[in-house]
Amino acid sequence: MAAGKGRKLVIVESPAKAKTIAGYLGGDFEVEASVGHIRDLPNPSELPADMKKGPFGKFAVDVENGFEPYYVVDPDKKKKVAELKRLLKDASELYLATDEDREGEAIAWHLLEALKPRVPVKRMVFHEITREAIQRAVNDTREIDTAMVDAQETRRILDRLYGYEVSPVLWRKVRQGLSAGRVQSVATRMVVERERERMAFVRSSYWDVEGDFTPDSASQQFTARLSSVDGVRVATGRDFADDGRLTGKGVVHLDEALATRIAEACLPLTARVTDVQEKPYTRRPSAPFTTSTLQQEASRKLRMSSKNAMRVAQRLYENGYITYMRTDSTTLSDAAMTAARSQARDMYGAEYVPDSPRRYEKKVKNAQEAHEAIRPAGDRFRSPAQVAGSLRGEEFALYELIWKRTVASQMADARGSTATVKLAVDTALEGAQSVEFSASGTVITFKGFLAAYEEGRDDESAARADAAAEERRLPKLSAGVPLEVVRAEADGHETSPPARFTEATLVKAMEERGIGRPSTYASTIGTIQDRGYVFTKGQALVPTWLAFAVTRLLEEHFGNLVDYEFTASMEEDLDRIANGDEGRVEWLGRFYFGEDASSAAGLRSLVEDLGEIDAKEISTIPIGDGMVVRVGRYGPYVEELVPAGVDLATGEVAEGAEVPATPRRATITDDIAPDEMTPEKARELLEVAADDGKVLGKDPETGRDIIARAGRYGPYVTEVIEDDDAAVNGADKPKAKKAAKVKPRTASLFKDMELATLDLESALKLLSLPRVVGVDAEGVEITAQNGRYGPYLKKGTDSRSLTTEQQLFDITLDEALAIYAQPKQRGRAAAAPPLKELGADPVSGKPVVVKDGRFGPYVTDGETNATLRKDDDPEAITPERGYELLAEKRAKGPTTRKRAVKKTAKKTAKKTTSRTTKKAAAKKA
């Protein structure tokens, strides 16, 4: 709808944000969404023909003339830009109300460049969307901050130079289509290095003794653990290095035999208390959330991915529930501290609130981020009970988490006492004359902030142990008190390798190293997974073998670019540009061309002077005992360089050993993590691969060989079609057309089948699938088939799942008909019921539902369809998220697949592109 004459046009990024703000501004304002960025650097192939051979041809950036970028309006945003221009014609003022960070500032500047307004322009900023905040922002505007725009533009150009120079090296030396990035490559290296540590880790075993003791009755019984033998401390896990060596000084390493002897000797004896210590216990609340800590805690407590946590937080912010979610500040405003203290006092009592507000002063590294922590919006917080009627699922859970953390941050310390007891047993054993046990327990006498919130832990086992210690209450004891030994058992342990990163711990590690910024954590983790460098196993991030090859190439030939300190210093330099303390052009010049004064090589010279890179060597990862993993064009495989029977050091062949003419190889299946690929596992794969291609016999009907293979996605059987067979089958084809290649029949092995024991009869049964079960009363054929998601029946377009693979061979027609007589639970054969109903759309007024489509779940109101994103759960999606997806799809307009006419495209490009020559105008806006 067009804005009336004299109305003020406000532009924000998202439709949801526009809707919320419009409700606070009234009829004098028209609020519209740009739906994110409207301009960007084009791919060089998309440049106008006359520019492809010019200075912009390689990067869409002229590196020789001040790193001038060439921007174009995104093709799917041309309609939106035209709409904004139409609204601007009737407006009296333009308010650019994008987010108050570098990215938001850049969007505002690009809008200014693309729209070229002739009315006054004001930059409107706020960090929460409440009526008071929006009205304050309208009356307290500023100009666009060109230093922040410079910083964001530098970041974009830097990423383009990095990606376009380094990625082609990966294409040539590792695999086509790979990508490198300033932050993503460093994050990938962190995950790979952790996996290398796990691969090199040597487990060590150690023993101790656990016992139960009591002064007089079972009600006072407590557990203690052996801590020293003859005055020497007993070794624990922290006393061993990653290579298995005992590095602890002045410790005794117990084996199973000695630990068992000590336990047996203690059982009939009496222990005595030798020392009791009691100390006060105090625990302070955690600071309010920053972007990093919110992502970490959402991962620990809500099992949300970083990307999904930020998506939900974005919706909460845009709908006025929380403050801006990209920040590394822990500061709370005076009004927020008052609100938190007031709610804590009302809900828990005056004694739970300290006399003065708690102030969390953390230095903000970055001028782009908001200057306040993430908290509930407004000068008075809405409690979880008050928002329960408007928030559901993930949105409610995340709001509750933020509310609890904020309120708890202003509450009193938890207080209590910690007691430690030491007790001795005189065993008179040789080598263990006297042993000492110790136990500790904490008693919380005042819960303080713990009544509202307790921060999660990344190490779940340590968290459980600490929780148990805090709940353990020791009996009142004093030195010299005798204790009965109720139980004594030897307890064996093994050291554990370093834990893999989770999304939470990777974000934490990146923040500690200064790599990336709040606005980039989630996208970085998403990118390294989407690029195939990392996959998840439970919550753990596991690197692929491809990541090993890419990381090795970058470490050996682009060491600076994946160096942690260098990457952190780049982030600090970008912050300096945002603060106006560093020039964009000068900094980019040093990065790309190098510095003569310090003889530091620039990116261009690094790429030009690479020298010879041995692609095979880069993609080879030794795993020991003459075994290596190689990353090939079609995936990773293990190769035996030194066969069994050959001495690794001398190469001498043992008498009677058979050495194959070519190295043995085996495909590595996707379910094997790198740290699981030991030499023993490699030999196991090689033995299975020895059966790969094993001829099981001939099919009596066709005379073709039936073979068993070990494929990347599991074992399977297939038939060998000779060229003569293909020629016979194609003989009757018209000569004008090339005969289609005859495809061999192929079938996966059942889950309970083994490649080594598979016989011809079983293979032929597998190849006989799909099996015709019979025909129903209407003459429709029913078949039993094995698919990607398991065994199923098929009748026309109606399919039904089977419970076991064996049913494919055994199920009868009557049993199949009985299955079809039951109502279908879910599927695409009939019009399936919606997965979820979301209510009436605020724009169309029609009911919005979630459906399962051919390409995955989507939301629809009957007029507009919008596919759910990767992190949207069809079962848990909220109505607001559904409306947001539909609004975004409407804003983009219908998808057109018509091929553009060359002349028209060229003309349009000239109209919708611009160089960055008018930044001075932005400074005066």
Side-chain angles (χ1 to χ4, degrees):
M1 114 183 130
K5 194 68 177 175
R7 295 177 78 189
K8 300 166 184 176
L9 178 61
V10 180
I11 301 178
V12 297
E13 299 99 320
S14 77
K17 190 175 173 182
K19 179 186 172 186
T20 307
I21 292 174
Y24 297 144
L25 288 177
D28 292 338
F29 292 84
E30 177 78 8
V31 186
E32 281 293 330
S34 67
V35 194
H37 290 271
I38 61 165
R39 300 198 314 171
D40 197 7
L41 298 172
N43 292 324
S45 61
E46 298 168 347
L47 287 168
D50 60 333
M51 297 186 68
K52 288 183 178 178
K53 294 184 180 180
F56 294 95
K58 185 174 182 180
F59 306 113
V61 175
D62 185 354
V63 297
E64 302 292 346
N65 293 289
F67 293 89
E68 181 186 351
Y70 183 83
Y71 293 113
V72 298
V73 174
D74 294 335
D76 61 347
K77 292 297 178 65
K78 290 178 182 178
K79 182 179 177 182
K80 172 55 67 175
V81 171
E83 181 186 351
L84 293 174
K85 285 183 175 179
R86 178 176 58 80
L87 293 170
L88 190 57
K89 285 181 181 179
D90 298 324
S92 60
E93 289 181 291
L94 172 62
Y95 287 78
L96 298 172
T98 50
D99 292 337
E100 192 186 8
D101 59 9
R102 285 203 291 246
E103 190 172 8
E105 206 72 17
I107 292 174
W109 180 78
H110 280 293
L111 283 166
L112 190 68
E113 289 285 293
L115 299 179
K116 297 180 171 53
R118 298 180 180 178
V119 296
V121 178
K122 297 179 179 179
R123 178 76 171 101
M124 174 178 163
V125 293
F126 43 86
H127 67 273
E128 61 181 338
I129 303 177
T130 60
R131 186 178 301 278
E132 296 79 11
I134 296 303
Q135 290 174 350
R136 282 196 300 266
V138 165
N139 296 317
D140 187 20
T141 58
R142 61 169 173 80
E143 294 184 350
I144 287 178
D145 187 330
T146 52
M148 289 177 70
V149 175
D150 273 347
Q152 184 62 23
E153 192 170 68
T154 304
R155 183 184 293 270
R156 184 70 189 93
I157 293 170
L158 173 61
D159 290 342
R160 174 58 63 96
L161 297 176
Y162 191 121
Y164 275 47
E165 287 284 25
V166 180
S167 296
V169 179
L170 302 182
W171 302 345
R172 296 193 302 269
K173 299 301 180 181
V174 182
R175 186 184 296 174
Q176 193 68 27
L178 298 177
S179 72
R182 177 177 53 86
V183 179
Q184 77 172 53
S185 295
V186 176
T188 301
R189 182 191 175 197
M190 293 173 73
V191 179
V192 168
E193 283 196 333
R194 180 59 55 86
E195 196 72 8
R196 287 172 178 163
E197 292 172 7
R198 291 175 63 86
M199 293 168 73
F201 185 81
V202 179
R203 292 183 183 273
S204 298
S205 64
Y206 60 96
W207 288 75
D208 60 14
V209 179
E210 185 181 80
D212 292 339
F213 303 84
T214 182
D216 47 28
S217 65
S219 63
Q220 292 191 303
Q221 183 173 304
F222 64 96
T223 301
R225 191 169 288 277
L226 182 68
S227 56
S228 70
V229 175
D230 290 338
V232 182
R233 183 172 64 83
V234 173
T236 60
R238 67 175 182 270
D239 294 309
F240 294 88
D242 286 352
D243 60 3
R245 290 179 300 109
L246 179 65
T247 55
K249 302 296 183 182
V251 296
V252 57
H253 182 190
L254 294 189
D255 58 16
E256 182 179 7
L258 182 54
T260 303
R261 286 171 55 214
I262 291 173
E264 291 172 348
C266 287
L267 202 53
L269 301 176
T270 299
R272 69 182 184 282
V273 177
T274 58
D275 186 38
V276 178
Q277 293 184 0
E278 192 165 337
K279 295 185 293 186
Y281 170 88
T282 303
R283 184 171 168 189
R284 292 173 56 86
S286 300
F289 280 131
T290 62
T291 302
S292 166
T293 54
L294 176 64
Q295 290 178 19
Q296 292 171 48
E297 199 72 340
S299 174
R300 297 183 194 114
K301 288 185 178 289
L302 306 179
R303 294 296 187 257
M304 283 186 182
S305 68
S306 296
K307 186 183 292 184
N308 196 33
M310 292 309 292
R311 182 176 292 154
V312 175
Q314 177 98 23
R315 294 202 297 270
L316 290 173
Y317 164 67
E318 290 175 346
N319 288 291
Y321 288 99
I322 64 171
T323 54
Y324 192 54
M325 64 286 157
R326 293 192 185 101
T327 176
D328 50 14
S329 172
T330 55
T331 302
L332 289 177
S333 66
D334 289 343
M337 285 190 289
T338 300
R341 287 167 60 82
S342 175
Q343 275 194 326
R345 188 179 296 110
D346 293 344
M347 297 188 73
Y348 302 104
E351 68 274 19
Y352 282 82
V353 181
D355 294 337
S356 58
R358 291 186 182 272
R359 298 187 182 275
Y360 299 88
E361 303 295 342
K362 175 185 173 184
K363 183 182 178 183
V364 179
K365 291 182 178 180
N366 194 339
Q368 72 149 329
E369 315 301 0
H371 301 298
E372 193 173 0
I374 303 169
R375 60 167 176 83
D379 295 338
R380 288 188 61 81
F381 300 162
R382 286 168 284 184
S383 69
Q386 290 172 314
V387 301
S390 54
L391 294 179
R392 295 283 187 276
E394 292 177 324
E395 290 180 353
F396 177 81
L398 193 64
Y399 179 84
E400 183 181 41
L401 190 70
I402 293 167
W403 180 88
K404 285 181 175 180
R405 176 86 164 216
T406 307
V407 171
S409 74
Q410 291 300 312
M411 292 175 66
D413 294 343
R415 297 190 297 273
S417 61
T418 298
T420 302
V421 177
K422 292 183 178 180
L423 34 134
V425 182
D426 295 323
T427 60
L429 285 175
E430 185 178 348
Q433 294 285 320
S434 177
V435 297
E436 184 179 74
F437 289 79
S438 61
S440 62
T442 299
V443 177
I444 303 294
T445 56
F446 175 69
K447 295 195 73 172
F449 75 93
L450 292 175
Y453 178 83
E454 183 171 5
E455 186 174 38
R457 294 274 298 275
D458 295 313
D459 188 337
E460 293 185 4
S461 60
R464 286 193 295 270
D466 287 351
E470 286 190 2
E471 294 167 3
R472 186 184 301 136
R473 185 184 293 268
L474 297 177
K476 285 291 183 183
L477 298 170
S478 58
V481 171
L483 300 171
E484 178 188 353
V485 183
V486 179
R487 177 183 66 91
E489 293 179 356
D491 194 8
H493 311 272
E494 270 196 342
T495 54
S496 300
R500 288 192 179 101
F501 285 113
T502 62
E503 289 197 12
T505 55
L506 183 58
V507 166
K508 183 178 180 181
M510 290 172 65
E511 183 184 40
E512 289 172 349
R513 290 181 180 273
I515 295 166
R517 285 295 180 261
S519 56
T520 63
Y521 297 139
S523 60
T524 297
I525 292 174
T527 297
I528 63 177
Q529 292 182 69
D530 295 341
R531 295 284 190 268
Y533 295 142
V534 170
F535 66 94
T536 56
K537 198 170 186 179
Q539 282 201 297
L541 297 174
V542 185
T544 61
W545 291 109
L546 180 63
F548 275 76
V550 168
T551 298
R552 181 178 175 186
L553 187 150
L554 294 175
E555 286 173 334
E556 293 183 6
H557 299 279
F558 297 94
N560 250 2
L561 298 186
V562 289
D563 179 78
Y564 300 136
E565 291 185 7
F566 179 76
T567 304
S569 71
M570 280 200 291
E571 292 289 0
E572 292 170 1
D573 290 342
L574 290 168
D575 294 345
R576 287 171 51 78
I577 294 171
N579 292 329
D581 299 329
E582 178 85 51
R584 176 182 71 86
V585 175
E586 294 78 10
W587 188 88
L588 283 169
R590 290 197 301 273
F591 172 78
Y592 190 67
F593 295 113
E595 287 184 278
D596 293 334
S598 62
S599 301
L603 176 62
R604 186 164 74 172
S605 60
L606 281 176
V607 174
E608 290 175 349
D609 301 331
L610 277 176
E612 288 296 320
I613 297 178
D614 187 336
K616 186 175 182 181
E617 180 61 25
I618 283 292
S619 296
T620 300
I621 303 100
I623 58 173
D625 288 359
M627 302 283 186
V628 297
V629 170
R630 298 197 195 276
V631 180
R633 180 181 299 179
Y634 303 108
Y637 61 92
V638 63
E639 181 175 312
E640 184 183 49
L641 297 183
V642 182
V646 177
D647 189 285
L648 279 172
T650 65
E652 293 182 7
V653 180
E655 186 176 347
E658 295 184 10
V659 179
T662 58
R664 293 194 298 166
R665 294 174 179 171
T667 300
I668 299 175
T669 54
D670 291 347
D671 61 333
I672 302 175
D675 74 329
E676 297 168 4
M677 183 50 64
T678 60
E680 294 73 28
K681 184 66 176 179
R683 290 193 184 89
E684 181 184 320
L685 292 178
L686 290 170
E687 292 304 319
V688 172
D691 295 318
D692 185 16
K694 180 175 70 174
V695 178
L696 302 175
K698 290 187 180 293
D699 184 340
E701 293 186 9
T702 64
R704 294 171 181 164
D705 284 339
I706 305 300
I707 60 174
R709 290 195 177 280
R712 183 179 179 186
Y713 303 105
Y716 66 96
V717 291
T718 187
E719 60 183 346
V720 178
I721 298 178
E722 304 292 346
D723 292 341
D724 291 344
D725 285 347
V728 170
N729 284 309
D732 297 330
K733 302 286 182 183
K735 290 185 179 179
K737 291 185 178 180
K738 187 176 180 180
K741 187 175 180 180
V742 179
K743 291 185 177 180
R745 293 175 297 160
T746 300
S748 296
L749 268 62
F750 287 176
K751 292 176 182 176
D752 59 353
M753 292 180 173
E754 294 287 343
L755 198 64
T757 58
L758 186 70
D759 56 21
L760 178 62
E761 181 183 358
S762 299
L764 291 173
K765 288 179 72 176
L766 290 171
L767 292 173
S768 70
L769 298 173
R771 177 176 73 92
V772 177
V773 179
V775 177
D776 71 359
E778 297 175 357
V780 181
E781 189 175 78
I782 300 175
T783 58
Q785 306 189 28
N786 204 10
R788 181 181 178 186
Y789 301 108
Y792 65 98
L793 293 173
K794 189 172 181 66
K795 183 178 74 169
T797 57
D798 191 357
S799 58
R800 304 294 175 93
S801 295
L802 294 174
T803 54
T804 67
E805 291 173 315
Q806 190 58 38
Q807 284 181 288
L808 292 169
F809 300 133
D810 300 343
I811 193 166
T812 65
L813 178 59
D814 288 342
E815 291 170 337
L817 291 172
I819 291 174
Y820 275 102
Q822 301 296 320
K824 186 167 184 178
Q825 298 299 313
R826 182 180 168 190
R828 298 192 184 97
L835 303 180
K836 191 172 184 180
E837 297 179 356
L838 302 179
D841 183 78
V843 176
S844 67
K846 296 187 175 182
V848 177
V849 296
V850 183
K851 290 191 170 184
D852 195 7
R854 181 181 176 190
F855 302 106
Y858 65 97
V859 289
T860 180
D861 63 353
E863 294 180 349
T864 305
N865 298 341
T867 303
L868 267 60
R869 305 293 192 267
K870 183 178 178 181
D871 290 325
D872 288 324
D873 183 349
E875 303 295 336
I877 188 171
T878 62
E880 291 75 16
R881 175 60 177 161
Y883 307 152
E884 178 186 6
L885 290 170
L886 290 174
E888 289 178 359
K889 186 64 183 287
R890 290 191 197 100
K892 288 182 179 179
T895 303
T896 174
R897 300 188 182 278
K898 191 179 292 184
R899 183 176 292 180
V901 179
K902 192 171 185 180
K903 184 181 283 186
T904 306
K906 186 175 180 180
K907 186 176 179 182
T908 306
K910 288 183 179 178
K911 285 186 177 181
T912 59
T913 58
S914 64
R915 302 182 188 182
T916 56
T917 55
K918 296 191 177 181
K919 195 174 289 184
K923 295 178 183 178
K924 298 175 183 177

